[in-house]
Amino acid sequence: MEFYKNLKFKDEVPKYIQVANFIKNLIDKRKIKEGDKLPTIRSLSKELGVNNVTIVSAYNKLKSEGYAYQKVGSGTYAKIKDVSSSFRKEYSRALKKISTKDLTEVVDFTGETTGEVLFPIDDLKYIINEVLERDGANALLSENRNGYTNLINTINKVFWNSKLNEEDIIIVSGAQQGIDIASKGILNINDNIIVEKPTYVGALSVFKWRKVNLFEVPIEEDGINLDKFEKILQKNKIRCFYTMSYFQNPTGISYSLEKKKRILQLAQIYDFYIIEDDYLSELIYEQSLDYIPFKWLDTNNRVIYIKSFSKIFLPGIRLGYLVAPTLFREVLQNSKHNTDITTSSLMQRALELYIASGRWKENIKYLNDEYIERYTYMKFILDEEFKDIITYIDPKGGLNFYLTLKDNMIDTKELFIELIKRDVYITPGAMFFTSQMYGQDSFRISFYQTDKYKIEKGMKILKEVLLDLTEKNNKK
């Protein structure tokens, strides 16, 4: 009851509305948690010095707005309002507005814009011209529905030492399409799947569209919590596990070798498959991380491997590939063909030449040099200026930091809204959970579209807004 002693009534607003708003604020800040029983009508009316009707009206308002529910004969209980749909729309609208602004003035910590392209455009022009001169009109034709044959051969040779069966490789239009194809190919309505908690919002959208049952397992510094993972496996028939093995989005964590091996063992024991989304493993900044994806360790054909080239080729050119377990080869090929028939032949040929000629290695080195500098600078600012405000797990690579507020007085959706007013954009943690009752105290910042100048500018504004919101909320 000590919370309610801080409520000071104002004359101009009806008391029942003030009581309801006060309780809503406590629920939003998680001082009152999901399922907590609210005080009885009689005890709260006595505590606040109001009549019973005021409390009844306040509780009815909370119930009508989704902040409370009633158990007959037991009382009224707090409910975390799930605002996922409305907020996702608000977030999407905000990002669309970025494109209408002068991007030189915007600090995009979401990484969603493409105002900066770190790719040698002259190389792209040269590669495309060379493809057109070499192949002529054939450059625009597709002779293999699974992808350009030479590209498939080059991927196998350069990245897999020719260890894959090339019939299992399918060229896709980026990782998002790969997830969609895998989902359509192996998941049916009401299948059970496990995802990391939190996880990539694009994958959540795909799985929800397939109407599957989602089980979330908390993620730790080296991968998911295996005890909780296996308990779910013991109680439920799981069809697949979706994972990002390197620089997981949003947390930035990478899986330890031990956890990869154990998860593969569990896949065989409990008969489920692994969708491995490998989208940033080229961007490893510290030698303590070794590149060993699940697929390299997959001796039982349990892994559907998805690789995107968007970050190392061109963001606007969606290209990647999927490696199908032989059992699912045909169904995943059909899923791809039903999705878009074929992927741009010209871009596939350009990508094949880019990889085969070795130019990709030069650009990867350039990207690593550039992003290491940004990563180091952002990490320095976090450690020096934000150490009393936030905590984070050092990703040691990738393009993001996932930050958690030490004081959870602030809802990061509110932080997002306030930062927009100053042309700084972040991604609130609630975007990465199946229910937005989670992630209120966390957010992701990316250095993908921010140079050192913008990092310094954006982090300064971020700290100012965080401190302002903390001060305001402490006064409430």
Side-chain angles (χ1 to χ4, degrees):
M1 293 287 286
E2 68 271 11
F3 292 142
Y4 302 94
K5 293 177 181 178
N6 296 322
L7 175 56
K8 307 296 182 186
F9 289 112
K10 299 175 182 178
D11 294 336
E12 62 271 17
V13 180
K15 287 183 179 179
Y16 82 93
I17 292 178
Q18 293 183 63
V19 173
N21 289 342
F22 185 80
I23 295 174
K24 281 195 294 185
N25 191 44
L26 291 173
I27 294 172
D28 285 339
K29 291 177 180 177
R30 303 303 184 264
K31 288 187 175 181
I32 296 177
K33 297 180 175 59
E34 174 89 13
D36 281 358
K37 187 175 181 179
L38 298 180
T40 64
I41 292 169
R42 181 177 298 176
S43 64
L44 188 54
S45 64
K46 183 177 179 180
E47 176 69 29
L48 297 178
V50 298
N51 60 44
N52 289 352
V53 174
T54 297
I55 305 304
V56 170
S57 298
Y59 282 4
N60 285 337
K61 181 174 173 60
L62 289 172
K63 285 185 282 186
S64 69
E65 294 180 7
Y67 279 91
Y69 60 95
Q70 191 168 23
K71 292 183 180 179
V72 178
S74 177
T76 304
Y77 293 81
K79 182 179 180 183
I80 304 295
K81 188 177 181 183
D82 185 358
V83 293
S84 57
S85 178
S86 60
F87 181 72
R88 288 186 199 284
K89 290 178 182 177
E90 185 176 353
Y91 179 78
S92 179
R93 284 195 298 268
L95 295 188
K96 286 178 182 178
K97 287 180 181 178
I98 300 181
S99 61
T100 66
K101 297 187 175 220
D102 180 359
L103 290 179
T104 60
E105 298 300 317
V106 170
V107 179
D108 175 23
F109 284 147
T110 70
E112 298 288 349
T113 61
T114 54
E116 177 186 58
V117 177
L118 296 180
F119 185 89
I121 299 300
D122 289 341
D123 271 8
L124 180 62
K125 292 178 183 176
Y126 174 82
I127 289 168
I128 289 177
N129 286 336
E130 190 170 337
V131 167
L132 290 171
E133 282 187 24
R134 183 191 68 191
D135 299 342
N138 288 331
L140 306 176
L141 303 176
S142 299
E143 89 287 359
N144 181 351
R145 290 204 304 169
N146 296 331
Y148 177 46
T149 302
N150 288 1
L151 175 58
I152 290 173
N153 177 262
T154 297
I155 286 170
N156 192 19
K157 181 179 178 181
V158 173
F159 301 119
W160 296 89
N161 296 320
S162 300
K163 292 179 180 178
L164 295 179
N165 182 341
E166 292 181 7
E167 292 183 4
D168 294 337
I169 300 175
I170 305 169
I171 303 300
V172 296
S173 300
Q176 185 68 26
Q177 188 187 66
I179 297 167
D180 184 59
I181 288 167
S183 179
K184 289 176 180 175
I186 71 168
L187 296 176
N188 296 310
I189 292 175
N190 288 327
D191 275 350
N192 298 322
I193 77 166
I194 296 176
V195 297
E196 297 152 341
K197 181 182 182 181
T199 192
Y200 169 50
V201 64
L204 286 178
S205 297
V206 169
F207 298 140
K208 287 180 179 179
W209 184 257
R210 294 298 295 167
K211 293 182 170 58
V212 298
N213 302 313
L214 290 170
F215 292 82
E216 296 176 292
V217 178
I219 200 157
E220 302 171 331
E221 290 194 21
D222 63 342
I224 54 166
N225 181 306
L226 288 180
D227 289 339
K228 293 182 178 180
F229 186 65
E230 189 161 7
K231 284 178 181 176
I232 293 174
L233 294 172
Q234 290 168 349
K235 295 178 181 178
N236 305 275
K237 175 59 181 172
I238 298 298
R239 180 60 168 165
C240 77
F241 166 49
Y242 168 75
T243 180
M244 306 180 87
S245 49
Y246 283 88
F247 314 122
Q248 193 259 4
N249 188 359
T251 65
I253 72 97
S254 298
Y255 277 70
S256 65
L257 181 60
E258 292 75 19
K259 282 199 173 178
K260 289 174 190 169
K261 289 179 178 179
R262 181 55 181 161
I263 290 168
L264 284 165
Q265 288 174 348
L266 292 172
Q268 189 66 13
I269 293 169
Y270 292 98
D271 189 24
F272 67 88
Y273 292 86
I274 299 167
I275 300 176
E276 180 178 17
D277 183 355
D278 178 9
Y279 80 123
L280 279 183
S281 56
E282 294 82 8
L283 302 179
I284 295 175
Y285 308 145
E286 295 192 14
Q287 293 182 349
S288 59
L289 277 180
D290 294 320
Y291 178 60
I292 306 174
F294 279 93
K295 191 61 183 177
W296 280 17
L297 305 168
D298 182 24
T299 57
N300 295 306
N301 247 345
R302 288 282 167 184
V303 178
I304 299 171
Y305 176 85
I306 300 168
K307 178 65 190 174
S308 170
F309 288 116
S310 296
K311 295 292 188 293
I312 63 170
F313 194 38
L314 274 179
I317 299 174
R318 313 299 298 177
L319 282 173
Y321 67 96
L322 180 153
V323 182
T326 303
L327 175 65
F328 295 120
R329 179 199 297 162
E330 186 174 349
V331 71
L332 291 178
Q333 287 174 350
N334 290 337
S335 178
K336 160 64 178 174
H337 304 158
N338 291 335
T339 299
D340 68 356
I341 302 178
T342 188
T343 299
S344 168
S345 176
L346 177 59
M347 287 301 108
Q348 286 189 68
R349 290 166 190 257
L351 178 60
E352 189 279 327
L353 184 57
Y354 175 59
I355 295 171
S357 66
R359 288 190 182 92
W360 72 279
K361 293 181 180 179
E362 299 170 13
N363 198 49
I364 285 296
K365 183 181 183 307
Y366 169 66
L367 288 177
N368 271 273
D369 290 344
E370 176 62 30
Y371 289 136
I372 285 173
E373 189 174 347
R374 298 182 187 189
Y375 155 81
T376 304
Y377 190 51
M378 185 174 275
K379 185 176 184 299
F380 171 78
I381 294 175
L382 287 171
D383 291 342
E384 292 295 316
E385 300 293 329
F386 290 78
K387 58 185 176 184
D388 297 326
I389 307 173
I390 59 95
T391 61
Y392 70 94
I393 296 172
D394 184 358
K396 301 178 182 178
L399 296 171
N400 309 310
F401 284 91
Y402 189 64
L403 312 178
T404 301
L405 300 174
K406 288 185 176 181
D407 183 350
N408 63 359
M409 289 286 290
I410 300 171
D411 186 329
T412 54
K413 293 194 294 296
E414 182 184 7
L415 175 64
F416 168 77
I417 291 166
E418 290 302 312
L419 284 170
I420 286 175
K421 297 173 184 177
R422 299 185 63 176
D423 280 337
V424 176
Y425 293 76
I426 62 166
T427 307
M431 295 292 293
F432 304 104
F433 293 85
T434 58
S435 170
Q436 291 200 13
M437 63 181 286
Y438 301 105
Q440 307 286 348
D441 61 346
S442 61
F443 61 102
R444 189 194 69 187
I445 55 175
S446 169
F447 46 88
Y448 178 46
Q449 289 292 320
T450 52
D451 56 21
K452 286 183 71 175
Y453 165 75
K454 285 194 173 184
I455 289 173
E456 182 175 2
K457 175 184 176 183
M459 297 299 276
K460 181 180 178 182
I461 294 171
L462 173 60
K463 185 176 181 181
E464 289 173 359
V465 173
L466 272 172
L467 293 176
D468 286 346
L469 285 175
T470 300
E471 185 178 353
K472 288 177 184 176
N473 286 332
N474 281 335
K475 290 179 179 178
K476 289 182 179 179

